[in-house]
Every structure is written in structure tokens, then in C-alpha cells.
Amino acid sequence: MSISCTFLPEHPGRARRATELGLKIFGVRVGIRVSEPALLDSLLSLIPFEWNETGSTRIERLYSVIDHPAPPGRHQCHSILVNSRLLAKGANWGQLCDAFYSDMEFFVASRSRKLLFVHAGAVSWRNQAIILPGASHSGKTTLVQALLKAGASYYSDEFALFDSGGNLHAFPRPLSIRQNSTTTRISAAQLCVKQEAAPTPVAWVIVTRYQQGGDWHPRTLSRGEGMLALLQNTVAARRDPARTMTVLQRSIWQARVLAGARGDAGQTAGLILRYLNAAEADHQWP
Amino acid sequence: MENGKAKYSLVGKGKLLVRKVDDEVIIYDHRTQKAHCLNGVATSVWEHWEAGKCVPEICFALDQRDEDVVWAILLELEGSGLLTNRIAPAVNQNVLSRRDLIKRMGLGMAVPIITSVVVPPPAAAASPTTHPRKLRRTT
């Protein structure tokens, strides 16, 4: 569904108002409308990946920031609307920004026709891309962080992106590290790890979930079972199953698939990398 | 797969999406929003049955002497809603339990014949977003 918007200039001679912007993110057209430029800059600074300004007046999702007059002695309140429905409201601008980013990221993940978004961590080790599919709270970010600490390079802790040929692309957002009830965002640069950029075929799919007291003793799965695990975590799977199936089939065709619960992330990261090194030494490639 | 290119077919008048991965097939069922992975043997049985072969012909094609094995696989496929050519209800087979089936096929006990998962809706496949109501009380 797309919305016709008239806020963008109708002819090239007129300058765009600084409080309105149409973006194209992974092929998805998103609009932002705010009351002052500083708010727009604040929202744009949250987007860690490439975006282009779209010249089209047609967008798929519109975010509007509404100001509310501050009562005496109180902070100013803002509302963020999505297509005229309330997304978030409050005086804490940081929390409103989080709500905006989360909603925008999910919308792009579910609508992008350019890349397929799979809920998974992704790292690279010795030029081998490793995908770690998993739902929320399965421990993906913790394991990704541990693998980075062990020397892997970073693709993403949230979404593995696949092009039509099944190659993995980077989703360079900061890692979202949960501690108790708070979430801290730390970039790859802050962790002093390499942020990967080049698309690459998938070498390993590791299906795992944290289990208290667990140990990582993986069993080998078939590529078909690996594809099922990716399918279960693909955002657009129900919306666009034909494209999802084709892309995942291509992504898995050279990969090896392992599955098994894990314990401590640091220990597991070491075991994973040793397993991969041993597999490479045995030349057990498909 | 040949040279990395997809091999797939569309069956069941658009209800099932099929993709081949090595000797297995992955089938997505639009009606139930479930995805199924058929192992090599189940794939062969399914393909032959969907092509219109009867059980003795399937046994011959697979070099499988035990018809009960093929019947058991077909019943499992039908139970998952994957057969467009339904098994006649009047047919009376000696239905094998899964354990007996795997034993007769000579496979390890842990090998699944058909693995099925529910494909979640978009919201369930991503991390939760912030709920708007929680922010309204912020001051």
C-alpha cells in the first residue's frame, strides 16, 4: 500500500521545506515530517545504513512529529504518528526516537523488495559468512558479540540481509546489548571490530539458543532443515513466500548447517571457531 | 540445484510452493502457513505419487520391497496436507508407526522424514518494537 503525499515539491524550481523529507531505504520509501529541522536531523542521525532522498511524492509510510505545548513547569511533549496513527507520545525525546527507529526498521525489513531480511546475527570468520538465525531473546547478540571478541568481523546482530542471488549483505547497525531492562547500542567501531561491507555467500548456518548450563554439541542438519530454520525467521515470509523461498534456497546451497543448544557465549564462540577451523583443515566442503 | 540456479515447481494449483534443496524438498503451504522439509526418501515417494504412480510402481522405482514403508510415508504426507492426489479412503493398509517405519527404512532413530514448522507472521519474526502506551506516562 502506498500513500500519495503532497508535501514534497511539485516542481523542481521550489526548494524542499527543511522539515519534510522522503527517504528510500533498501528500496522502501519512507517520509518524515517534523515541525523544526533539528528534530529531522535528530531522527536521521539514528539511521546507521545508507539511504537516499527520494524524488517521488509517493511513499509507503509517513512519520509525523507533532509538538504539544508544554504546560507551565513541564517539559515539552511530542507525538510521533505513523500514517496518522499514534506510535508514541511523551516528553522523553530519546525514547520517542527509539520508537521511531524500531518501527521504521521493522517496516523496511518487512517491505523491502531489494533485500530479504532474516532475523539473524551474522559474522564473518576467515572469509566465511556465519548466520545465526533466531527469535528475540535467543541470545543472538550475545553470541555475535562473543564471536567478534574472538576475532570475527561484523555483519549484523539483528538482520541477515540476502540479495536475489542468496548472498549475505551487511546491516551495519550498532549492536543492541540488553542488560537487565535497559538496551545499550554499541557500534562495531566502538568495539574495535571490522565492519564487513562486501556481499558474500553463506558458508555456515548455526541454529542455536542459550540454555542455562548448556554445552554446545552440535549435530549436522541437512540444507533443507537449514532453509526451514531461516524461513522461520524471515520477516517477509508470509507476505512474499515465493521470493522468500527462492532467495533462501540460493543462500543455503553452499552452506553447512549445525544445530544445538549452547551455554556461555564466550565459551561457545571459541568452540564454534575451532569447529570451523577443523572443518576447513579436513577440507569437508560441500 | 544446478550451477547455483533454483529448481522449483508449483503444484496444487498455487496452494503449495516447492523448492528443491539437494535431495530434499521444502514445501510452503499457503493454506496453513506451514513449511515442510521432506527428506530424500519422502521426496522421492512424494514426487512419484504426485506424478500419478501407484504404490507398487513407487516401490519398483525406489527399489523398495516393503510396500508398508511407502504407504506409511504417503499417510504421513497426507496428514501434512501435501498430497494433491489423495489416498483412497477405502484402502486398508497396515499402518506402520514412525518407529517401525524408521527401523524398516534402516535409518537412525533421530532422522525425521518430514520436518514441519509454522512460518510466523512478520511481527513474530523480528524483535519487539516499543509499545506506544508505555511512553505516554513518561514525564
Side-chain angles (χ1 to χ4, degrees):
Chain A
M1 185 187 85
S2 51
I3 306 168
S4 277
C5 246
T6 57
F7 68 88
L8 293 176
E10 292 175 353
H11 53 83
R14 180 189 289 171
R16 168 179 62 77
R17 283 198 280 169
T19 56
E20 296 170 343
L21 186 63
L23 312 174
K24 206 165 182 183
I25 307 170
F26 296 115
V28 180
R29 296 187 304 275
V30 171
I32 304 176
R33 174 187 287 162
V34 298
S35 55
E36 49 188 271
L39 295 180
L40 181 59
D41 292 339
S42 179
L43 292 175
L44 292 177
S45 70
L46 299 172
I47 305 174
F49 29 81
E50 255 186 59
W51 55 268
N52 299 307
E53 192 170 336
T54 175
S56 171
T57 56
R58 295 190 71 82
I59 53 165
E60 295 166 75
R61 200 160 181 89
L62 174 62
Y63 293 94
S64 305
V65 180
I66 311 292
D67 301 333
H68 302 285
R74 294 209 157 194
H75 296 290
Q76 184 173 26
C77 228
H78 298 278
S79 294
I80 297 184
L81 306 181
V82 174
N83 298 349
S84 306
R85 285 182 297 107
L86 179 67
L87 172 67
K89 183 179 179 180
N92 188 320
W93 180 244
Q95 287 190 355
L96 292 174
C97 287
D98 284 346
F100 159 76
Y101 178 78
S102 293
D103 188 271
M104 184 273 299
E105 182 185 76
F106 174 71
F107 183 75
V108 168
S110 61
R111 297 299 177 101
S112 176
R113 298 273 320 157
K114 198 176 171 185
L115 294 170
L116 188 72
F117 282 63
V118 178
H119 202 211
V123 300
S124 177
W125 168 256
R126 291 187 180 177
N127 298 319
Q128 299 170 69
I130 305 165
I131 309 297
L132 307 160
S136 292
H137 302 286
S138 60
K140 293 191 307 300
T141 298
T142 313
L143 183 55
V144 164
Q145 197 181 1
L147 286 164
L148 297 179
K149 199 174 172 184
S153 46
Y154 183 58
Y155 272 93
S156 177
D157 73 324
E158 181 71 7
F159 290 113
L161 274 53
F162 296 99
D163 62 27
S164 56
N167 294 310
L168 173 71
H169 287 245
F171 188 65
R173 60 168 243 171
L175 284 82
S176 293
I177 296 167
R178 288 193 191 98
Q179 278 178 329
N180 300 322
S181 57
T182 58
T183 300
T184 311
R185 298 200 196 275
I186 304 178
S187 69
Q190 286 173 298
L191 290 172
C192 299
V193 296
K194 183 184 172 190
Q195 169 70 64
E196 290 287 352
T200 186
V202 177
W204 295 90
V205 175
I206 297 178
V207 184
T208 187
R209 187 183 179 90
Y210 173 72
Q211 194 174 74
Q212 196 170 14
D215 271 324
W216 192 64
H217 296 293
R219 65 186 192 284
T220 302
L221 296 186
S222 67
R223 289 197 181 100
E225 290 169 309
M227 184 170 155
L228 272 193
L230 295 177
L231 191 59
Q232 259 192 308
N233 288 284
T234 301
V235 182
R238 281 199 189 183
R239 186 183 168 81
D240 196 351
R243 183 176 76 102
T244 298
M245 298 268 282
T246 300
V247 171
L248 293 183
Q249 178 191 29
R250 289 171 182 167
S251 73
I252 203 83
W253 82 283
Q254 289 185 87
R256 296 186 66 180
V257 185
L258 301 174
R262 66 161 180 91
D264 171 76
Q267 196 177 39
T268 305
L271 290 171
I272 288 173
L273 299 182
R274 279 204 289 278
Y275 187 105
L276 268 54
N277 290 342
E280 189 182 10
D282 290 342
H283 302 291
Q284 291 173 8
W285 295 118
Chain B
M1 294 283 294
E2 292 175 355
N3 298 325
K5 290 186 180 174
K7 279 175 65 178
Y8 62 90
S9 61
L10 195 63
V11 299
K13 297 178 185 175
K15 295 191 188 70
L16 303 179
L17 280 171
V18 182
R19 298 291 185 271
K20 276 212 97 161
V21 180
D22 298 333
D23 65 343
E24 298 176 310
V25 291
I26 309 298
I27 302 175
Y28 176 75
D29 189 340
H30 283 278
R31 300 162 299 182
T32 58
Q33 286 162 337
K34 280 186 178 177
H36 311 269
C37 173
L38 276 55
N39 76 352
V41 176
T43 295
S44 297
V45 170
W46 179 75
E47 285 178 336
H48 286 302
W49 179 263
E50 292 292 294
K53 288 198 170 83
C54 62
V55 169
E57 288 171 326
I58 295 174
C59 288
F60 178 76
L62 300 185
D63 197 24
Q64 170 61 256
R65 291 183 185 179
D66 194 341
E67 282 193 11
D68 289 343
V69 169
V70 174
W71 277 119
I73 293 173
L74 284 171
L75 287 169
E76 205 158 318
L77 288 167
E78 185 173 62
S80 297
L82 301 177
L83 299 185
T84 51
N85 301 323
R86 303 296 301 273
I87 297 171
V91 171
N92 187 14
Q93 318 91 15
N94 181 19
V95 179
L96 293 173
S97 66
R98 178 179 276 264
R99 179 186 288 267
D100 290 336
L101 173 63
I102 289 172
K103 209 183 271 186
R104 288 213 206 174
M105 287 169 69
L107 299 172
M109 288 304 294
V111 175
I113 297 160
I114 303 172
T115 307
S116 301
V117 299
V118 175
V119 174
S127 293
T129 57
T130 309
H131 196 286
R133 271 179 271 178
K134 288 184 185 172
L135 298 186
R136 278 185 195 161
R137 295 177 186 165
T138 303
T139 55

